[in-house]
Amino acid sequence: MRKAMAVLAFLALTACSKPQPPQGRWEGGYDSNGTLVAARVEIGADGLVKLSAPDLTNAQSAKPEQLEQMRDRLAADLATAWDTVAPRPFDFDGTTFRKPGGVAPQMVWDKDTNQMTLELYIGANPALPVTLRPVDSFHDNPWPSG
């Protein structure tokens, strides 16, 4: 009887426990409608999140070679500044990351694919979804090849 009560108590406690964020690294790039973003996310064992997403806007009239230079610059800025990014806490409900006490989604994690979507807010615009893919280590170029 005591064993059954202990198991029930354990199950009750774990059912109410806060979901742990996934550990790992994600990166990706966004290039559409004159907006470019290079992004990295790293979640440590402590649940703290390192996140950086430098962006450029108003590049609609840029020529292809200029866009390539802009992408290269964003990738270099991301890599250069990564060591200075401070990890910070986020509230996590098992799928969505929010700033502590916040309402607006900051990231959404798909457990089945291990894909992270960064919800980037630029100015007063609606959130811009930037799809990030899981990586073992970060690359010089965060945009997927192909």
Side-chain angles (χ1 to χ4, degrees), residues 21-23 26 43 92-97 107-119 130-134:
Q23 293 179 39
W26 294 262
I43 303 174
F92 179 66
D93 65 10
T95 303
T96 304
F97 291 82
M107 295 185 300
V108 178
W109 178 58
D110 183 329
K111 181 178 180 177
D112 294 334
T113 62
N114 195 24
Q115 178 179 295
M116 192 74 70
T117 301
L118 176 62
E119 299 291 340
V130 179
T131 302
L132 307 178
R133 66 195 178 288

Side-chain angles (χ1 to χ4, degrees), residues 90-91 96-108 119 121 127:
F90 280 83
D91 290 339
T96 304
F97 291 82
R98 292 178 171 82
K99 291 180 181 176
V103 175
Q106 302 297 305
M107 295 185 300
V108 178
E119 299 291 340
Y121 299 89

Side-chain angles (χ1 to χ4, degrees), residues 21-26 41-45 48 50 82 114 116 134-136 138:
Q23 293 179 39
R25 294 181 181 102
W26 294 262
V41 170
E42 182 173 19
I43 303 174
L48 295 178
K50 284 181 69 171
W82 185 247
N114 195 24
M116 192 74 70
V135 294
D136 291 329
F138 293 120

Side-chain angles (χ1 to χ4, degrees), residues 1-3 12-13 28 33-34 53-54 56-57 68 81 83 96 118 145:
M1 183 71 165
R2 283 186 176 173
K3 200 178 242 185
L13 285 173
N33 299 321
L56 289 171
T57 58
E68 192 60 36
D83 289 338
T96 304
L118 176 62
S145 57

Side-chain angles (χ1 to χ4, degrees), residues 41-64:
V41 170
E42 182 173 19
I43 303 174
D46 56 5
L48 295 178
V49 178
K50 284 181 69 171
L51 175 122
S52 183
D55 66 86
L56 289 171
T57 58
N58 300 318
Q60 299 88 325
S61 59
K63 296 176 181 169

